[in-house]
Amino acid sequence: MNVLITGHSGFLGDHTAKYFIDKGHKVFGLSRSIRQNCEYQQYACDILDKNKVSQIVSEKFIRLIIHIAGKPIVADCDKDPFNAFMTNGLGTASILEAAKFAGCEKTVVVETDKVYGFQEEVPTKETAILNPNSPYEFSKVLATQFCDFYRKQYLMDIVSVRPVNIFGAGDFSYSRVIPKAMKCIWEGTGIPVYEEGDNIFRDFIYVKDVAEMIYILATKKTKHQSYNLSSNSSISIGNLAKNITKILKHDIAPITVRKPGNYKEIPYQSIDGTRFNEEFKYKFTPFDVAIKETYNSHFI
């Protein structure tokens, strides 16, 4: 099957493309930047260029689209909300329009657990009312709404995927807690944890698991239109840093630091991954194995 992966040059896109290739699919990549030494055909294209996207999808007889491209950094979206709305919102509409025009069999759109915003009921199920409270969250909700519209209006097979915080090999965004932890351990320093770190809880998921879960949703018949991707194991940022320190046998304990800025964190952000886990009987990579593989891929 011919598969188009948008955002193929990024962290999750790269892992997803490799997984589909290993399964025997012909992959095409589409991103604003081109990867060096790429083993499959790729195109430099802004997803907002609807005509060019549609041309690629049609000419290459794409049957399946995995849409990952977008603006993933929360701070960048805060600084430039308009472009976040354009890229994450209308960019998704551009991909769906191309899929509709070419008659693609299925489109998998990777959203985020952040579409839920602050929720009183946690872990949060897929049926919760979306509650965006930041430019990034709202831009992703726009993508969700476009998916809902194209499903209902054009009867398209679109699966929305909402993973928790993804980590693994190839993520060099050191503003994120796990890549920063890997770097600190390599440099021989303590992992920094903000003062409220013991009271901030998050879910984390290994990138290789996410790539496999996307493949499952893309190639199997699904019972639902949206899926949370989570192992249902929340952890405080403080304990996360302690666990990573222990797993990697680091001699220096985490250090407490003052958080820059005054933005307010959601204390307990967790989603319920039961829907996917029960439907497909999925087994996650153990956290200690995933952390060791992540560190070794970066620094060994």
Side-chain angles (χ1 to χ4, degrees), residues 108-295:
V108 177
V109 177
V110 179
E111 298 173 1
T112 171
D113 62 334
K114 305 303 183 290
V115 295
Y116 297 112
F118 175 76
Q119 297 281 336
E120 292 187 1
E121 184 178 341
V122 289
T124 305
K125 296 182 180 293
E126 291 89 346
T127 52
I129 296 174
L130 306 185
N131 183 32
N133 291 291
S134 73
Y136 173 72
E137 292 171 4
F138 184 69
S139 71
K140 287 296 190 176
V141 169
L142 289 174
T144 299
Q145 292 175 334
F146 278 121
C147 288
D148 288 340
F149 179 83
Y150 275 79
R151 286 189 194 100
K152 296 174 184 176
Q153 187 72 15
Y154 304 113
L155 303 179
M156 293 172 62
D157 189 357
I158 303 167
V159 177
S160 294
V161 176
R162 297 166 186 167
V164 295
N165 300 285
I166 305 172
F167 72 93
D171 185 3
F172 299 100
S173 298
Y174 294 122
S175 61
R176 294 176 176 152
V177 60
I178 291 183
K180 182 186 293 183
M182 301 292 103
K183 187 171 185 287
C184 288
I185 289 177
W186 172 251
E187 294 174 345
T189 61
I191 301 171
V193 178
Y194 294 146
E195 292 168 320
E196 67 272 33
D198 288 336
N199 299 314
I200 301 295
F201 289 79
R202 295 291 184 266
D203 298 348
F204 295 88
I205 191 169
Y206 192 32
V207 66
K208 289 185 178 180
D209 289 341
V210 177
E212 183 179 7
M213 295 164 90
I214 289 173
Y215 180 83
I216 290 170
L217 291 171
T219 57
K220 294 183 180 294
K221 187 175 181 180
T222 59
K223 296 179 181 179
H224 302 279
Q225 297 173 336
S226 61
Y227 290 86
N228 292 339
L229 303 187
S230 173
S231 61
N232 294 338
S233 54
S234 294
I235 187 171
S236 73
I237 301 303
N239 282 333
L240 174 72
K242 292 175 184 175
N243 286 357
I244 292 174
T245 299
K246 182 178 179 181
I247 290 167
L248 296 179
K249 299 179 180 179
H250 190 45
D251 295 332
I252 303 174
I255 57 174
T256 301
V257 298
R258 186 179 297 274
K259 183 178 70 175
N262 57 2
Y263 59 92
K264 190 175 182 180
E265 297 269 11
I266 296 173
Y268 185 26
Q269 193 169 46
S270 177
I271 61 174
D272 188 343
T274 302
R275 173 181 286 183
F276 180 92
N277 302 343
E278 289 187 349
E279 184 173 337
F280 298 104
K281 311 301 179 188
Y282 192 76
K283 294 184 178 180
F284 292 88
T285 303
F287 184 74
D288 60 335
V289 173
I291 284 295
K292 288 176 182 177
E293 287 184 0
T294 299
Y295 184 77

Side-chain angles (χ1 to χ4, degrees), residues 88-102:
N88 292 343
L90 286 176
T92 299
S94 172
I95 297 301
L96 296 176
E97 191 66 20
K100 175 173 70 72
F101 180 78

